[in-house]
Amino acid sequence: MKHFILYIIVLCSSIGISAQEKEMPPKGGEPKNFALPEKEIVSFDNGLTLVMIPYGSIPKATIRFSVKTGNIDENENQVWLADLLADLLEEGSTTKTSKQIADEMAGMGGNLNIGVGLHTSSISSSVLYEFAPEAIKVMADVLKNPKFPESELGRLKDNMKRDLSVRLSRPQAQASRDFYATIYPDHPYGRVYPTDEMIDSYTVEDIKAFYDGHFGALRTTVYVAGNFDSNAVKTAVENSLGDWKKGTEAEYNVAEPMTSSEIKIIDRPDAPQSTIYYGLPTVGPSDDDYIALDVTNSILGGSFASRITSNIREDKGYTYSPYSSLDTNYKSGVWYESADVTTEHTGASLAEIQKEIKRLQEEPPTQEELDGIINYESGIYVLQNSTPNGIIGQLIFLDTHDLDESFLTNKVKNMHAITPEKVQEMTQKYIKPENMTLIVVGDKAKIQDQVMETVQKPLKQ
C-alpha cells in the first residue's frame, strides 16, 4: 500500500498536478434568482387579505395568520404587554378550552403556535392538506374570540418574570439592553426588557385594550402555502373571518435612531470574558443601499468566512463565536459587532475589529473574496426560502417594510451586481467607528484601561 501511494504521488508530480490543484472545488453554476411561486390574493370587504401559494408535493398546508402589530405598538409602560397577550391567547377561546384546541389541531397533524415579534404577531400551524379549512376555522376562533381568562394571568406573569430574570442574568442580554436603549432612546426598539414592576402592573383590561386597539381585519393577512383545496380555503376564511371587525390600519412608529459615540462598561466582577456590543444606526431594507450594505456586513463580520471572525477567532483565538449583524427595522437599521472575548484580550479585540473596518474602508476586497461571499449568501437565501414557511416569511417581510416583490425576485441578481468598490463605499459611508456606541459587560477593574486606550473616548459612568 505504501508503494502504491508513493507511485500516485510521483505520477501526480510528473504530470504537474499539485495537492492544492487537486483539492480545488469545481466552479459553481450560474447564480439563480429566487423564484416566487404563483399566488392568488383575495381581498374581503372588512379589509382582511388571503394569500394562497400552491407549492411543492408534500401533502401538507402551512397556515399563518399575520397581524401587523407587536412590540412596536407598546408604549414606554407596556414592554412585553403584546407577549403577555399572546400567552393569554394560548389559554383558549370563548368557545373552546386550550385542551380542546390542542386536541383538535393534533388530530389534523399539527399544533397551534402563537408568536409576537417587533412588527407582527402570528398564529400558525402546518396540517395535513385535507384539514386546511378546518384548521383555519379553529385558528380564526382563537384570534377572533379570545377568552383572556383572568384566572391564568398571575401564573403567566410569574412565568414571564422568571424568564426575564434568567435572560438578564446573561451578559449578552445586559449588553443588548443598554445598546438598543442608547440608539433608540424614545422608541419601542430601544425598550428590550420590562421591569418586574411593569409586569406586575398589567391587567386583563390592559390586554383587552391593546387587543381592541391593534387587532382587526385591516391589519391581518392569512397565508396558506403548500397543498390545499383553494376553494375550500377561501370559503373557510370567509365564513370564519369575513365578519370580523375591521379595526384600525397599521401605522408603524418610524424611529429616529441616535448616533452616539457613548462607551459604557457594565461591571461583572471576576468575569472570565467580556461581552462586546459595538455599532451604530444604518439604513433599513427599503433603502437603495441596503443590499450592498448587507453584503458588506457578510464580508466584515456577518458570515463564518468574514474578516473579523477570521481575525479574532481563527487567527488570534480571542473568542469562539463573534458575529456582526444588520438589523432590519422599519425605515431604519443598526449594524453591530458582538463577541464574547477573553478578559485579558478585550482591548486587543476591539483594536482588531477597528482594524478590519479601517482596512475595508481603505481598500476594496478582491473580486475573488467578494464572489465567494455572494455565492454563499445568495445560495443560502434561495435555499432557506424554498419551503412554504420560508416563502410566507418573505412575503410578510415585504408587507412589513412596504417593499415590491422585485426585492425578492431580483435580490440574487442585485447581489451579484455589487462591486468591490461598492463594498468599500458602503463601509466608508455607514460603518464609522468614531460614531459607534460601545457597551462592554465584564470585569471593569481589568478591562477599563484596555477599553479606554483602544477607543479613546470618554467613558459614561
Side-chain angles (χ1 to χ4, degrees):
M1 183 62 137
K2 178 170 64 176
H3 295 95
F4 176 75
I5 293 172
L6 180 62
Y7 169 75
I8 293 294
I9 292 172
V10 171
L11 179 63
C12 289
S13 299
S14 67
I15 60 176
I17 301 176
S18 69
Q20 286 181 330
E21 287 172 325
K22 286 193 298 175
E23 293 173 2
M24 285 293 288
K27 187 173 186 238
E30 289 298 313
K32 294 182 179 179
N33 271 311
F34 171 67
L36 192 62
E38 291 292 324
K39 62 185 185 300
E40 181 181 355
I41 301 174
V42 181
S43 299
F44 296 92
D45 291 342
N46 61 351
L48 185 84
T49 301
L50 167 64
V51 179
M52 295 182 290
I53 313 110
Y55 183 77
S57 58
I58 298 173
K60 294 198 79 173
T62 297
I63 306 163
R64 192 183 308 182
F65 293 6
S66 180
V67 186
K68 292 183 77 171
T69 186
N71 302 116
I72 195 169
D73 286 327
E74 297 167 342
N75 66 35
E76 63 273 15
N77 298 312
Q78 294 180 327
V79 182
W80 284 14
L81 183 63
D83 301 81
L84 191 57
L85 185 155
D87 290 341
L88 268 182
L89 278 178
E90 294 181 349
E91 298 302 319
S93 70
T94 55
T95 66
K96 294 176 183 176
T97 66
S98 58
K99 185 179 185 309
Q100 287 173 322
I101 291 167
D103 288 346
E104 287 189 27
M105 296 303 295
M108 304 177 210
N111 63 307
L112 196 67
N113 303 294
I114 300 177
V116 174
L118 278 171
H119 308 103
T120 60
S121 300
S122 66
I123 298 178
S124 62
S125 189
S126 183
V127 299
L128 295 171
Y129 76 99
E130 65 266 31
F131 294 114
E134 188 59 34
I136 287 169
K137 293 176 188 175
V138 175
M139 295 164 68
D141 181 46
V142 172
L143 178 62
K144 192 172 72 168
N145 305 308
K147 187 175 182 181
F148 294 144
E150 189 155 9
S151 59
E152 302 298 330
L153 186 60
R155 174 181 60 84
L156 294 174
K157 291 200 291 188
D158 286 343
N159 291 345
M160 182 171 277
K161 287 189 291 183
R162 277 193 294 271
D163 180 35
L164 177 65
S165 177
V166 170
R167 291 198 200 189
L168 290 179
S169 69
R170 298 170 181 153
Q172 295 83 2
Q174 297 169 23
S176 67
R177 174 196 60 198
D178 286 24
F179 178 76
Y180 287 108
T182 302
I183 290 178
Y184 291 110
D186 301 309
H187 192 274
Y189 292 151
R191 299 190 284 267
V192 181
Y193 298 106
T195 62
D196 281 355
E197 293 74 21
M198 200 179 289
I199 294 172
D200 283 333
S201 73
Y202 297 152
T203 65
V204 168
E205 287 67 33
D206 294 330
I207 291 167
K208 288 180 178 177
F210 192 91
Y211 176 88
D212 290 340
H214 302 293
F215 281 73
L218 281 169
R219 297 191 184 207
T220 303
T221 302
V222 176
Y223 295 91
V224 184
N227 281 280
F228 51 89
D229 181 328
S230 60
N231 288 328
V233 163
K234 273 187 262 189
T235 300
V237 171
E238 184 168 18
N239 290 342
S240 303
L241 290 169
D243 62 347
W244 192 28
K245 64 170 186 172
K246 281 190 173 184
T248 60
E249 289 191 25
E251 192 172 335
Y252 290 145
N253 176 13
V254 178
E256 295 182 7
M258 179 181 294
T259 298
S260 168
S261 56
E262 178 179 308
I263 301 172
K264 183 178 180 181
I265 297 175
I266 301 172
D267 194 17
R268 201 164 183 249
D270 301 320
Q273 291 185 320
S274 299
T275 296
I276 295 169
Y277 264 66
Y278 192 35
L280 75 172
T282 55
V283 294
S286 58
D287 192 279
D288 290 341
D289 282 340
Y290 174 77
I291 290 179
L293 185 59
D294 194 27
V295 169
T296 301
N297 170 62
S298 295
I299 289 178
L300 195 54
S303 65
F304 191 76
S306 67
R307 291 184 173 191
I308 293 175
T309 300
S310 297
N311 183 328
I312 63 175
R313 182 188 190 275
E314 302 298 319
D315 183 29
K316 305 293 191 309
Y318 295 160
T319 179
Y320 182 73
S321 54
Y323 67 92
S324 68
S325 182
L326 186 61
D327 282 356
T328 53
N329 294 328
Y330 184 70
K331 306 299 182 186
S332 73
V334 176
W335 180 90
Y336 66 91
E337 173 72 25
S338 177
D340 297 316
V341 303
T342 51
T343 295
E344 63 268 30
H345 296 120
T346 303
S349 298
L350 287 166
E352 293 302 321
I353 293 168
Q354 291 177 337
K355 184 180 87 173
E356 293 299 347
I357 294 171
K358 184 177 180 183
R359 183 159 74 99
L360 202 55
Q361 287 176 336
E362 294 178 346
E363 182 181 338
T366 64
Q367 189 66 54
E368 182 181 15
E369 179 185 14
L370 180 58
D371 287 344
I373 289 289
I374 290 176
N375 286 336
Y376 173 77
E377 295 292 344
S378 60
I380 291 294
Y381 168 75
V382 173
L383 186 64
Q384 286 177 337
N385 297 317
S386 297
T387 66
N389 258 323
I391 293 166
I392 290 172
Q394 287 299 321
L395 292 176
I396 291 173
F397 184 85
L398 293 182
D399 188 43
T400 299
H401 295 283
D402 306 326
L403 298 170
D404 185 77
E405 285 184 8
S406 61
F407 179 91
L408 298 181
T409 56
N410 293 336
K411 186 172 181 180
V412 172
K413 179 183 72 174
N414 291 336
M415 290 172 73
H416 280 271
I418 295 164
T419 64
E421 290 73 26
K422 187 67 173 180
V423 170
Q424 181 184 18
E425 178 194 335
M426 293 296 95
T427 314
Q428 293 170 344
K429 185 175 180 180
Y430 294 108
I431 306 178
K432 303 176 180 180
E434 65 271 20
N435 292 336
M436 288 188 185
T437 295
L438 172 63
I439 308 294
V440 186
V441 182
D443 190 330
K444 191 171 184 178
K446 295 179 181 177
I447 67 175
Q448 180 167 328
D449 289 345
Q450 295 182 55
V451 171
M452 300 316 297
E453 287 173 10
T454 304
V455 183
Q456 297 180 345
K457 296 177 190 173
L459 176 68
K460 181 176 181 179
Q461 299 299 325

